[in-house]
Amino acid sequence: SGAHSRCFRRRCAPSPFSPERTSSSPVHAVRMQSRSASAARGGWLRPRHSCALIKPGVRTAPPRAISQTADNFKIKPAPVLVPEGDWTVDAAGNVCSAKGFKATGAYCGLRRSGVKADLALVAADVDSVVGGTFTQNVMCAAPVLYCKDVMSRKKTARVVMTNAGMANAATGDAGYADALETVKLLSTEMGIPADDVLVQSTGVIGMRMKMEAFRTAIPELVPTLGSSLEDGNRAAVAITTTDLVSKSVALKMTLGGKEVNLGGMCKGSGMIHPNMATMLGVVTCDASVDAEVWQGMVKRASVASFNQVWVPVWARAQAQVWARVWALGAGRAVQRAATLDTSRACPHLLRACDA
């Protein structure tokens, strides 16, 4: 019919913007000439279907995988309750107070909600003696199993990485593989052996790690390592979970005629009994101490301090599966290694660790 033919012709008619309709149009010719001239001058061109301005030859940078804005570190610091002793308390100090250490923290999208920082690094400039205490639970999270294996083979480390949001516990072989991959990612980015990396995870049990977030965040996070107190504070915030405050402090003392600094940070809110439960911590020290002596100090100090903390409302009958405390000694202040039996310095250092 006539109506059908008209509809068919309208559907099959070329578009107003098609070459058949525009190539011979004077208006189209002038428009294309104007666009070509603008491009030749290096001017800005507005795409037909976008409001964005794109300059030829200029690419926009991809979005960053980490964030270190003020919104990521809103949590306040805890009051300092260190007892008096033969040391000076630095209330504003942290893991960066000890010479030879750097730290950082950032929001990397690991938490289920919110934008609080959730990935932290504490790194030593040189190989550092390491001491550690672990949860007493028979069931251990993947990072605990990995770190126990590393410490059975060596007594030094270079960096501790801590993430919040996922505990990587009750995740089986897949969770252990995730832990190994995070270690490899960080060691590759820092140019150090994988055995120099220690890892800690805290958060939801039974949830797999967000590996894509780690893969994109670690290359951006490593260059932000710094030795300022602000860098240490970022790390202290990034390891918290339900904590209402971040927890850091530093002590300064004189051992063997040399100044020694001891810095630390930890997390844990409520579920910290018995034997640390969900508590995590990192301690740094710039004194040179024998590996076996340092391990003994860390263990005795943990028993006298962390293991004594009890919040009755949240008390649990068993230690949690990821609790641990790491202590790194870089040996920058005391050039000669001390031994517990012959040195007068070690008892003072042990009391400071207890504090």
Side-chain angles (χ1 to χ4, degrees):
S1 64
H4 176 76
S5 299
R6 287 194 298 273
C7 291
F8 180 79
R9 286 197 298 273
R10 282 199 296 269
R11 286 199 300 269
C12 297
S15 164
F17 300 101
S18 64
E20 295 88 347
R21 293 288 299 272
T22 59
S23 58
S24 59
S25 169
V27 176
H28 174 74
V30 172
R31 184 177 301 165
M32 293 303 297
Q33 183 179 3
S34 175
R35 288 173 62 86
S36 300
S38 177
R41 293 193 302 268
W44 293 86
L45 301 181
R46 184 183 299 276
R48 179 177 296 172
H49 300 295
S50 173
C51 294
L53 293 176
I54 302 176
K55 193 172 183 178
V58 177
R59 294 183 179 180
T60 58
R64 295 193 67 193
I66 67 173
S67 175
Q68 292 180 315
T69 67
D71 288 340
N72 306 128
F73 305 97
K74 281 186 175 181
I75 187 171
K76 295 181 179 180
V80 176
L81 303 175
V82 177
E84 295 181 359
D86 51 355
W87 50 74
T88 301
V89 179
D90 182 2
N94 50 49
V95 291
C96 288
S97 296
K99 296 179 178 64
F101 290 94
K102 295 181 176 65
T104 188
Y107 171 71
C108 306
L110 302 178
R111 299 184 186 272
R112 289 195 298 179
S113 61
V115 294
K116 186 168 68 169
D118 48 22
L119 188 60
L121 301 177
V122 178
D125 294 341
V126 296
D127 288 346
S128 300
V129 171
V130 61
T133 59
F134 298 93
T135 177
Q136 297 179 16
N137 202 320
V138 175
M139 176 185 173
C140 297
V144 175
L145 296 174
Y146 164 78
C147 291
K148 282 185 175 182
D149 177 62
V150 171
M151 287 195 64
S152 68
R153 292 182 278 107
K154 58 180 302 189
K155 302 300 180 184
T156 60
R158 286 288 301 278
V159 61
V160 178
M161 176 168 61
T162 308
N163 76 271
M166 298 148 292
N168 199 7
T171 50
D173 293 340
Y176 194 83
D178 289 342
L180 292 180
E181 183 178 351
T182 60
V183 168
K184 183 178 181 180
L185 289 169
L186 183 56
S187 65
T188 300
E189 193 64 32
M190 296 186 66
I192 59 177
D195 283 356
D196 281 347
V197 178
L198 301 174
V199 289
Q200 302 184 119
S201 298
T202 180
V204 180
I205 295 176
M207 178 183 291
R208 288 284 303 279
M209 303 283 271
K210 297 180 180 179
M211 293 309 303
E212 189 57 38
F214 280 96
R215 295 183 189 110
T216 56
I218 288 177
E220 293 187 15
L221 186 62
V222 170
T224 67
L225 279 164
S227 57
S228 70
L229 294 182
E230 183 180 1
D231 294 316
N233 288 332
R234 288 195 182 115
V237 172
I239 69 173
T240 61
T241 48
T242 57
D243 304 67
L244 301 179
V245 291
S246 62
K247 297 138 187 174
S248 293
V249 73
L251 304 179
K252 184 181 296 184
M253 69 208 81
T254 301
L255 299 177
K258 298 178 181 290
E259 182 182 279
V260 172
N261 298 278
L262 190 69
M265 67 179 187
C266 68
K267 60 81 51 179
S269 182
M271 295 178 289
I272 53 179
H273 175 82
N275 300 326
M276 296 187 294
T278 63
M279 183 179 290
L280 296 178
V282 178
V283 177
T284 58
C285 180
D286 51 21
S288 179
V289 185
D290 177 79
E292 296 299 328
V293 174
W294 187 236
Q295 174 61 37
M297 284 187 181
V298 174
K299 186 174 181 179
R300 290 173 62 180
S302 296
V303 171
S305 57
F306 288 121
N307 288 357
Q308 300 300 314
V309 182
W310 182 33
V311 181
V313 176
W314 291 94
R316 287 191 168 188
Q318 258 189 332
Q320 276 291 345
V321 296
W322 64 81
R324 74 203 73 105
V325 173
W326 291 113
L328 300 173
R332 287 301 184 88
V334 180
Q335 301 302 320
R336 192 171 185 177
T339 59
L340 191 61
D341 296 330
T342 61
S343 174
R344 295 181 179 180
C346 282
H348 294 286
L349 186 57
L350 177 59
R351 287 196 294 270
C353 290
D354 291 346

